[in-house]
Every structure is written in structure tokens, then in C-alpha cells.
Amino acid sequence: MSELPNRSERPRVLSGMRPTGKLHLGNYMGALANWVKLQDQYECYFFIADWHALTTDYADPGKLQSKTLDVAMDWLAAGLDPNKSTIFIQSHVPQHAELHLLFSMMTPLGWLERVPTYKEQQENLKGKDLSTYGFLGYPLLQAADILVYQAQYVPVGQDQVAHVELTREVARRFNSLYRSQVFPEPEALLTPSPKLPGTDGRKMSKSYGNAIGISESPMGVMFKVQSMSTGGQRIRQTDPGDPDLCPVGELHKIFSIPEVIAETRNGCRTATIRCESCKTEAGRSVCNVTEPIHVRRAMLELDVERIWEQLRSDSVNKAARRAEETMISVRAIFDISHSLGFTRRLSSATPEEQDKIRDLSAYTDWWDLPRDQRSRVLRDYWRDKLVPYDIPLSQEGNRAFSTIERELEEPFLTARKKRVFVTTSRDLNQGDKWEFEIPARSYEIWTLLCWRNSDKSLHDFVLPQKAFLSDFSLAKKSAKKEEKIPVSILKIEGNRYFLSIAGKTGKDITAFERDYQPLG
Ligand code: TRP
Ligand code: SF4
């Protein structure tokens, strides 16, 4: 369909926002609109930096969750798409904090004291005591946010460039201290942000109370634009004005189509348009952006629980998986003796919850996909939902000529470089028999995913070599090159599963269902 490389092979982009509540047009033009575009070209991670919010608001945390939700809903309403990007909350991925802590061991104090925002913010937020450890560490936590994903690009505004620069220094110091290449030096992707005036003509900012929200109702927007300052011009409507000195003129430049811009500028200069109608035009142009966002947000607000659910599950798993991959290398470098090894993804889930995760009946849309694509979706589902966090899997193989078929044949590699072949059942209609085809190559682990049509549930058998090696070697010997060997799982004797290779029924593999021991 598209010529772009697979999402996971595109350059990685990461950015975050502090949870300040509902977003305004300045946030949109300065960041969010650009993020929405980036989603199609990059592997994107976007998160809500709730820990960062606490560095300044530690004394008054009460609104953190509702502000976080407000940002999330505005993101989704504005077009960030969980199917394209990984969207999550910072504190849901504790690896950020772990890396921040480890970085704090090796980051000179002077580097942090010298970051310009440190002094500036302390000046600007005089009412708050910011002589804290956490506030000093703000940019270091940001460095951890970026580096834990080994991100290449960080789309931010000019005000964040110093933080990305610090991130680069931290990466360099780490790599040179430990003679490693763990961290690429990320680059800021500067978002060109037009100067956006608020209703009083000053820069739009929540703290000035002059902001127009991106999800505000059309009526609200029209009202605010109508009440905007004209920069003190055209007190009498018979006086001509200069649209370049008027905040409403600036809004036109950013939001209106060329015809409207020309008409209102001319009307202003010649005093042939009233400010009121000029503002109505400007309000309409702004509504072209905000109204669809408003409508989508209203829809999202109908089911807030679903949004929390989304933020808590899929995305976090994906983010944590990626972050954990980095942390495994970092912990090894610091000679720390544990990986989050025993924290299993499902360890705290009850058996009922585990079964629910494997109930795929909700996936009605991809159920209609062609078989090969369905296999891939199922495999991705397995990887994203069912594999414990502590088993990072990377993909091996040459993607240059990858069809879906081939992609499915490429094994995953575990952190310990074991080759994991994953395949899904070919046969949908027989509850007691699943058929697979396995290339005559050597893998250390087979993962056989069986979906059951009757109850749309998934069974995953994770087989170590000892479960299949002898029978498979025999079959391999007599197989021709490129031939695939038929393998099946049979449910017999009530509830026991047997593996059958090339027609020869052998081992009882019941015990290997959902057993990830050999993967680690
Ligand atoms: N400091 C950023 C801001 O105030 C928010 C942020 C936190 C961030 N972590 C980040 C941005 C990592 C980019 C990358 O806008
Ligand atoms: Fe501003 Fe428009 Fe009035 Fe000119 S006509 S002063 S641009 S509001």
C-alpha cells in the first residue's frame, strides 16, 4: 500500500508535553499539528510528561489526572492516532525514572545549573519554591525520556532546544565513559511556529488568560475572537487601520485562505470593512480548525474510561517494551544484576483476566482480513500483548524484499539471541486441530499461535527445541530445499495437546502452553 518502510524501521521520533489541561491554538500550531503530520513518516512516541509537571507543581498535585486526561483527549481529537503512534503517560513507563536515576550518577551538577531554563523559570515562577532537587533535574529527566527510546528526532519548539542539547551531551558522556554506542545523539526537529497572538494581543498563553482552546465550541471561539484587541486601532470605524499591527490581522495570516486575507487587509486599510465583520471572518477561519476537533472531543468525552483504558494498555506495553530494550543494555553496563526479569507482564493478572486478554472476539474488523494478513496481525498481537515485558524481541532478516509471507518467516531474536519463529494456524474451522507450515530451517524456539474460531480465543504454545528437534530433523532431512514442513497441533484425550510433525504424532506439549520460560 505504501512505499514507506515498516513503522518499526523508520527513524524514531519522540516528544512530550506537560499536562497543562486543555490545549490552545499556540500548542497546536507550535507542536501538535506538526506531530500529526510526522506520524505517517516516523515511528513516533508521544507522551504526557506528568512527572515533569510535578517538578513545578509538587505542592499542588490534585489536578494531575484530570489535566492529563484533558491533554490526551485533545491529542486524539486533533488527530494523533493510536494506530500510528505510541501515545502514553510518562509515569506508566518506569524505565524513564530508572534511566534518570542512573544518569544522575554521571551528570555534573554544573551542566544542569547552566541550562538557561533553570534560572529563567525560577525567575518566572517566583511564587513557587523551585530550589529543589527535582526541578534542577528537569532537563535530565527529559534526557532520559528521549534516550530511553534511543530516539533520533525530537520535534520541539525553540524553548526546548537547550534541553535537547543537554540530552546530546549526556548521550556523549555516557557513550564515552562506558565505551559504548548505546545512545544516538538526538536532533531537535524545530517546529516553525508562527507568532500567535492571544485575545489581548500578547503571546497566546494559558497563564495570561488570553488563549483560545483547540477544542472549544464554535460559539466560544467566535465570542473570543469578537472580543479581541485590535491593537488600539480603528476606534472610529471610519479610520483606516494597519492589519499588520492588529492581532486579528495575525490570526487571518495564520488561519484564513488567501482570498479572505486579501479582502480583509484591503478593507482594513481603506476602512471599508468593519472590525466586527473582519473578526467574524477570522473567527470562521479559526473554527475551520477547531470545530472538527471540538466535535471529535465531544465524542471522546462520551467514553472517558475507554481513553484511560487505551492509555493504560496497548501503548504502554509498546513503549515499555522499547524502553526495556534500552535498559537491558544500560543495566548491563552499570553491572546491575537484575533485569526486570521476574516482573511478568501478566504476573498481577488473575486467571480470568488472562483469559480475557486472550479473548479475541472484539477484533471483528481484522477477522475479515485475508488470511496472511490476519496471521501478521495475530503475531503482532502476541508480541505486543502476550509476551512478558522482560523478553524484548527484535526482528531478524532482510526486509528489502519482504512480502507478508516472508515477514512472517523471519524469526524474532530474544535478548539472548535465541531465534524465535512465530507462526499462526492455517486452519480456522476445526476446534481440535491446528495446522502450520514451518520452513526447514533451524530455530531455537517455535511459537505456535492457534486461534479457535468457536470462541475466538488464542492459545500460544512456546516450544523449546527439545520439544520438536528430533522429529523435525528427520523431516528436514527428507525435505527439499525451500520446502515447508507440515506441523500440527492436535487436541486429543479431552484436553491434552500433541505435536505432530510431517504426519508423525509425537510429544505431548500441553505443558508448553503459555510458557515463556525458554524465551528469556
Ligand atoms: N519539557 C517539555 C516542555 O515543557 C516537555 C517534555 C518532557 C519533552 N520530556 C520531553 C519534550 C522529551 C520533548 C522530549 O514542553
Ligand atoms: Fe484589525 Fe480587522 Fe479591525 Fe483591521 S479591520 S483593525 S485587521 S480587526
Side-chain angles (χ1 to χ4, degrees):
M1 193 174 70
S2 88
E3 290 148 40
L4 286 164
N6 228 311
R7 235 161 245 291
S8 59
E9 287 174 5
R10 302 179 194 173
R12 246 187 315 282
V13 156
L14 169 134
S15 199
M17 268 185 210
R18 279 167 300 155
T20 48
K22 290 186 184 176
L23 302 178
H24 56 69
L25 288 172
N27 304 125
Y28 182 72
M29 300 307 291
L32 192 52
N34 189 36
W35 294 6
V36 171
K37 289 193 207 124
L38 293 171
Q39 299 183 103
D40 293 318
Q41 288 163 40
Y42 296 94
E43 181 190 348
C44 290
Y45 292 82
F46 298 118
F47 68 96
I48 301 173
D50 54 347
W51 279 329
H52 274 108
L54 289 175
T55 63
T56 52
D57 297 347
Y58 60 88
D60 180 25
K63 300 248 160 54
L64 198 51
Q65 289 198 35
S66 76
K67 286 179 172 178
T68 299
L69 181 67
D70 269 333
V71 171
M73 290 207 280
D74 274 357
W75 280 9
L76 299 174
L80 284 194
D81 180 350
N83 295 316
K84 296 179 179 172
S85 301
T86 307
I87 300 166
F88 61 101
I89 298 171
Q90 182 187 36
S91 64
H92 291 187
V93 183
Q95 284 86 349
H96 293 229
E98 187 186 4
L99 187 58
H100 176 215
L101 178 84
L102 292 172
F103 280 163
S104 78
M105 308 298 171
M106 46 153 265
T107 306
L109 265 185
W111 287 15
L112 297 174
E113 289 162 345
R114 258 186 277 119
V115 173
T117 46
Y118 181 55
K119 290 264 150 56
E120 278 165 29
Q121 286 278 71
Q122 284 187 331
E123 285 296 313
N124 292 344
L125 301 172
K126 271 267 158 47
K128 295 177 181 169
D129 179 1
L130 295 183
S131 55
T132 54
Y133 176 51
F135 186 66
L136 179 67
Y138 184 110
L140 193 62
L141 177 57
Q142 186 163 346
D145 294 337
I146 297 168
L147 294 175
V148 83
Y149 299 98
Q150 299 167 311
Q152 283 103 315
Y153 297 109
V154 188
V156 284
Q158 186 63 40
D159 62 319
Q160 295 294 315
V161 168
H163 293 167
V164 178
E165 193 45 50
L166 178 86
T167 305
R168 295 166 61 86
E169 287 175 65
V170 171
R172 232 175 287 146
R173 181 170 170 90
F174 183 99
N175 291 345
S176 86
L177 263 178
Y178 309 113
R179 280 176 226 91
S180 76
Q181 292 295 323
V182 172
F183 296 117
E185 284 182 40
E187 282 171 45
L189 272 187
L190 263 189
T191 313
S193 47
K195 180 174 134 253
L196 188 80
T199 49
D200 60 359
R202 291 188 291 172
K203 180 177 183 242
M204 188 178 289
S205 156
K206 196 154 227 170
S207 55
Y208 293 156
N210 65 359
I212 300 174
I214 64 166
S215 55
E216 232 167 281
S217 69
M219 246 185 33
V221 171
M222 293 306 278
F223 180 79
K224 280 191 178 168
V225 175
Q226 207 49 252
S227 71
M228 269 179 86
S229 146
T230 57
Q233 305 185 81
R234 304 197 62 203
I235 314 274
R236 279 176 311 202
Q237 292 290 293
T238 46
D239 295 341
D242 181 351
D244 290 328
L245 301 178
C246 174
V248 182
E250 293 301 320
L251 276 197
H252 275 299
K253 283 187 210 160
I254 297 167
F255 294 101
S256 294
I257 56 171
E259 290 75 15
V260 174
I261 298 179
E263 178 197 311
T264 51
R265 288 175 72 81
N266 182 47
C268 178
R269 290 212 169 94
T270 54
T272 52
I273 185 177
R274 297 179 56 80
C275 286
E276 196 189 309
S277 1
C278 176
K279 288 172 174 177
T280 302
E281 291 290 333
R284 281 212 188 104
S285 301
V286 172
C287 282
N288 284 338
V289 171
T290 54
E291 189 171 357
I293 300 178
H294 172 76
V295 171
R296 277 198 296 267
R297 179 168 173 127
M299 295 294 291
L300 293 167
E301 280 175 352
L302 294 178
D303 197 351
V304 168
E305 256 323 299
R306 218 198 64 209
I307 296 182
W308 275 123
E309 190 48 44
Q310 204 164 49
L311 289 166
R312 285 190 191 115
S313 57
D314 298 18
S315 302
V316 187
N317 291 351
K318 249 165 91 188
R321 171 181 306 282
R322 188 60 196 75
E324 182 62 12
E325 206 175 297
T326 308
M327 289 315 295
I328 286 174
S329 321
V330 172
R331 288 188 207 109
I333 284 174
F334 283 114
D335 204 20
I336 280 174
S337 60
H338 97 133
S339 62
L340 291 182
F342 303 104
T343 332
R344 291 297 180 92
R345 179 185 302 269
L346 297 173
S347 61
S348 58
T350 64
E352 290 76 36
E353 284 167 336
Q354 294 196 19
D355 282 340
K356 214 170 109 203
I357 288 177
R358 289 179 164 79
D359 170 4
L360 301 179
S361 53
Y363 287 73
T364 44
D365 41 356
W366 62 261
W367 215 255
D368 302 327
L369 289 172
R371 204 173 57 195
D372 51 354
Q373 287 183 39
R374 189 164 48 210
S375 295
R376 182 168 56 170
V377 172
L378 210 54
R379 190 199 57 177
D380 289 350
Y381 174 89
W382 168 80
R383 186 196 51 194
D384 292 340
K385 278 226 158 139
L386 301 179
V387 185
Y389 283 150
D390 51 319
I391 303 174
L393 294 169
S394 59
Q395 197 145 26
E396 189 187 61
N398 179 0
R399 295 299 196 78
F401 46 109
S402 85
T403 60
I404 290 171
E405 273 285 312
R406 160 148 300 174
E407 206 176 296
L408 284 169
E409 286 181 16
E410 284 164 1
F412 287 108
L413 285 185
T414 69
R416 296 197 190 144
K417 298 279 181 274
K418 291 194 175 169
R419 291 159 54 85
V420 185
F421 178 72
V422 184
T423 188
T424 54
S425 167
R426 286 198 305 124
D427 196 331
L428 258 173
N429 294 319
Q430 310 178 29
D432 294 341
K433 181 176 184 199
W434 291 276
E435 295 178 344
F436 310 87
E437 285 183 333
I438 298 194
R441 287 182 224 130
S442 57
Y443 305 101
E444 276 138 308
I445 295 159
W446 287 355
T447 297
L448 306 181
L449 303 179
C450 315
W451 69 76
R452 184 177 271 146
N453 207 31
S454 55
D455 61 0
K456 300 205 169 148
S457 65
L458 184 66
H459 297 255
D460 41 343
F461 293 88
V462 183
L463 307 180
Q465 255 179 351
K466 66 169 195 260
F468 57 79
L469 193 61
S470 56
D471 289 342
F472 193 65
S473 305
L474 273 179
K476 222 159 79 176
K477 269 190 204 120
S478 50
K480 290 196 213 67
K481 215 167 167 258
E482 298 298 309
E483 201 171 51
K484 291 182 188 163
I485 295 168
V487 166
S488 50
I489 292 180
L490 312 167
K491 188 176 178 202
I492 33 187
E493 296 172 13
N495 50 8
R496 306 208 65 81
Y497 296 96
F498 287 81
L499 186 67
S500 159
I501 297 178
K504 180 165 175 280
T505 298
K507 290 227 164 34
D508 181 340
I509 55 165
T510 314
F512 294 114
E513 189 177 9
R514 303 175 192 184
D515 184 353
Y516 290 90
Q517 297 299 347
L519 272 186

